[in-house]
């Protein structure tokens, strides 16, 4: 998500998150004669190569007598589906509601003058297999909060439809998302040899494959390694986030239903390592959503054990 360091945006988003965290329903704050209004169109999610994508048009109106700045609160129609704001603004995630995230986003651009309107597009992506029939999901909502009052002034629910692969939107079925992950991890070998490098260290690459069979909401997948003394994780190839300790992310971010990725885990030891057997490495895959772990439907295939040795042979 985009970031911006203006004080005003930070204060506004902080207030929005505090509001979401402390109130059972922000919609109750909307009232007649409110200082702002919001409208939302219909969200139509179009099938793509690995899921669905779409945007919902949102318009906010300054109904007060003074210029003001705004944030919007977005409740996802499908858990884990929020994909940004156009034009972009800084967004902060609040705690999920029924596993669906609530996102507070500052509306970019100058203050709105009295009576002025501004349109935004809220993007969503659902990483589930496209279906030959239309579907619908309930729960999407947008709300507007003026900066001066720091209270939700108005809100609107919006309809969400998944277009069938044949183009139809008729007779939609209810979309049911998985609540448990179904990820698996396999290694390209059951033994790994680290070889002596020019700087005296030992290093090696272990190919691994991660598969994601379902469509449970998640932000990324991660692996925790239990390592023999002196062996450490040097990263992954490719790598798009830092590795630390024995913990690293699966490159590429979120995974679509049925997707698999193969990459290399990089290992190394210090120059004073004695060549020979070093022990075994245990790799455990987990699916992460927000600050927590998503329960896996079949956790037995999330574990891999590989023996490790060091060799002076080139």
């Amino acid at each position: 998500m985009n970031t911006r360091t203006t004080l005003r945006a930070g204060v506004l988003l902080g207030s929005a998150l505090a509001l979401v965290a402390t109130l059972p329903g922000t919609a109750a704050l909307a009232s007649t004669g409110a200082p702002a209004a919001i409208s939302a169109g219909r969200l139509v999610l179009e099938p793509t190569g690995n899921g669905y994508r779409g945007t919902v048009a949102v318009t906010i109106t300054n109904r007060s007598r003074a210029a003001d700045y705004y944030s919007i609160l977005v409740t996802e129609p499908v858990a884990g589906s929020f994909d940004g704001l156009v034009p972009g603004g800084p967004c902060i995630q609040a705690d999920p509601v029924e596993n669906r995230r609530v996102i507070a986003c500052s509306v970019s651009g100058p203050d709105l003058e009295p009576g002025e309107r501004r349109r935004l597009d809220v993007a969503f992506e659902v990483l589930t297999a496209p279906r030959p029939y239309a579907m619908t999901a309930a729960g999407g909502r947008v709300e507007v909060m003026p900066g001066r009052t720091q209270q939700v002034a108005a809100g609107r629910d919006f309809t969400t439809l998944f277009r069938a692969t044949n183009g139809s939107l008729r007779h939609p079925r209810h979309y049911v998302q998985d609540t448990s992950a179904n990820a698996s991890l396999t290694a390209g070998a059951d033994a790994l040899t680290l070889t002596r490098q020019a700087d005296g260290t030992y290093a090696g690459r272990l190919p691994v494959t991660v598969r994601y069979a379902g469509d449970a909401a998640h932000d990324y997948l991660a692996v925790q390694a239990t390592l023999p003394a002196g062996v450490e994780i040097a990263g992954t190839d490719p790598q798009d986030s830092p590795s630390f300790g024995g913990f690293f992310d699966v490159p590429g971010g979120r995974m679509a239903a049925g997707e698999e990725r193969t990459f290399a885990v990089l290992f190394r030891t210090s120059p004073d390592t004695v060549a020979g057997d070093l022990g075994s490495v245990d790799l455990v895959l987990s699916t992460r959503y927000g600050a927590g772990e998503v329960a896996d439907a079949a956790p037995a295939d999330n574990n891999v054990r590989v023996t490790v040795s060091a060799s002076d042979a080139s």
Side-chain angles (χ1 to χ4, degrees):
M1 296 180 187
N2 296 320
T3 57
R4 190 173 64 187
T5 57
T6 60
L7 178 60
R8 187 172 69 179
V11 171
L12 182 58
L13 289 176
S15 300
L17 289 182
L19 185 64
V20 172
T22 58
L23 295 179
T26 55
L29 292 178
S31 62
T32 58
I38 189 168
S39 64
R42 183 176 67 170
L43 172 62
V44 177
L45 294 163
E46 305 286 349
T48 68
N50 63 349
Y52 295 82
R53 290 188 62 87
T55 60
V56 58
V58 175
T59 301
I60 59 173
T61 304
N62 182 354
R63 297 178 58 183
S64 71
R65 298 181 179 180
D68 207 347
Y69 56 97
Y70 297 87
S71 70
I72 64 170
L73 306 180
V74 180
T75 302
E76 299 175 310
V78 176
S81 61
F82 177 79
D83 199 41
L85 202 65
V86 181
C91 296
I92 300 177
Q93 180 178 324
D95 292 334
V97 175
E98 297 179 348
N99 209 42
R100 291 175 291 114
R101 294 178 298 188
V102 178
I103 312 294
C105 296
S106 179
V107 175
S108 62
D111 291 356
L112 271 70
E113 297 297 326
E116 185 180 357
R117 297 180 178 180
R118 184 167 298 161
R119 171 176 163 159
L120 313 165
D121 288 318
V122 186
F124 297 92
E125 182 179 41
V126 181
L127 297 179
T128 191
R131 315 290 209 275
Y133 50 84
M135 297 185 291
T136 186
R141 183 172 175 83
V142 289
E143 296 168 302
V144 60
M145 186 168 71
R148 294 182 186 277
T149 65
Q150 298 188 14
Q151 296 288 318
V152 168
R156 289 288 184 273
D157 298 329
F158 58 84
T159 301
T160 300
L161 289 170
F162 296 71
R163 191 182 298 279
T165 51
N166 64 6
S168 175
L169 290 174
R170 300 182 62 188
H171 309 300
R173 306 179 190 181
H174 182 63
Y175 169 64
V176 179
Q177 186 177 29
D178 291 342
T179 56
S180 298
N182 192 1
S184 66
L185 174 70
T186 56
D190 56 10
L192 172 66
T193 300
L194 309 182
T195 58
R196 177 81 76 170
Q197 306 297 301
D199 63 359
T201 63
Y202 293 84
R205 300 164 57 94
L206 176 69
V208 298
T209 298
V210 172
R211 297 177 178 86
Y212 200 72
D215 64 4
H218 67 288
D219 294 315
Y220 63 99
L221 282 79
V223 176
Q224 178 69 56
T226 302
L227 302 164
V231 178
E232 61 182 21
I233 301 290
T236 62
D237 182 19
Q239 181 161 346
D240 56 13
S241 60
S243 304
F244 55 92
F247 190 87
F248 59 89
D249 294 352
V250 173
R254 294 194 303 154
M255 297 185 68
E259 183 180 358
E260 70 175 46
R261 294 177 190 161
T262 297
F263 59 97
V265 184
L266 310 180
F267 294 86
R268 68 185 175 197
T269 67
S270 63
D272 58 1
T273 298
V274 177
D277 293 336
L278 301 180
S280 61
V281 171
D282 289 308
L283 303 176
V284 180
L285 176 70
S286 63
T287 303
R288 317 298 299 186
Y289 184 49
E293 180 178 348
V294 183
D296 197 281
D301 61 9
N302 291 19
N303 306 303
V304 166
R305 172 168 286 184
V306 177
T307 59
V308 183
S309 61
S311 172
D312 288 321
S314 58

